[in-house]
Amino acid sequence: MITIEKWAAIRQLNEQGYGKRTIARMLGVSRSTVKANLFFQLVSKRYKVSSIILTSNRTFDEWGSIFGDEVIAAAIIDRLVHHSHIFNINGRSFRVKDKLGKDHDKKCL
């Protein structure tokens, strides 16, 4: 788990224009931790202020491993789903279906 001091340092270094890799090296944390903290800050700033439209092909159960921190993932999910409308779309991608149809038509000629 990341300390409050490192959390503040990530935000400050990001505002100063340092890249994620540089911040990770300076603070001795992984880049995924830096990315997760920056994404959390973005979601927190927009929380209850403005809308967020987010698409993902991963379930919420997978977010902890994606962000590298279960606690940050839970906090992000908490803010995203509060007052939200979730649309779960199952099936083939429309773009993939369209592409497969065109390739299939070419093979038939």
Side-chain angles (χ1 to χ4, degrees), residues 18-38:
Y18 287 95
K20 294 171 196 70
R21 181 177 293 161
T22 304
I23 295 170
R25 285 185 193 147
M26 292 171 75
L27 299 177
V29 297
S30 69
R31 278 194 299 173
S32 62
T33 300
V34 173
K35 290 177 185 178
N37 280 278
L38 294 174

Side-chain angles (χ1 to χ4, degrees), residues 21-83:
R21 181 177 293 161
T22 304
I23 295 170
R25 285 185 193 147
M26 292 171 75
L27 299 177
V29 297
S30 69
R31 278 194 299 173
S32 62
T33 300
V34 173
K35 290 177 185 178
N37 280 278
L38 294 174
F39 185 61
F40 174 78
Q41 290 174 29
L42 172 69
V43 171
S44 293
K45 284 181 182 178
R46 296 187 60 88
Y47 178 62
K48 290 191 174 184
V49 174
S50 186
S51 298
I52 297 174
I53 297 175
L54 181 72
T55 63
S56 176
N57 61 348
R58 305 293 180 151
T59 64
F60 289 138
D61 294 338
E62 298 174 80
W63 283 31
S65 61
I66 292 168
F67 288 119
D69 188 333
E70 295 286 336
V71 175
I72 292 175
I76 291 170
I77 293 166
D78 182 61
R79 282 160 180 77
L80 287 174
V81 300
H82 189 233
H83 299 300

Side-chain angles (χ1 to χ4, degrees), residues 85-101:
H85 299 281
I86 298 175
F87 299 95
N88 189 7
I89 302 170
N90 293 316
R92 281 190 153 167
S93 165
F94 181 76
R95 290 180 296 265
V96 171
K97 184 178 93 175
D98 188 45
K99 178 68 175 161
L100 291 175

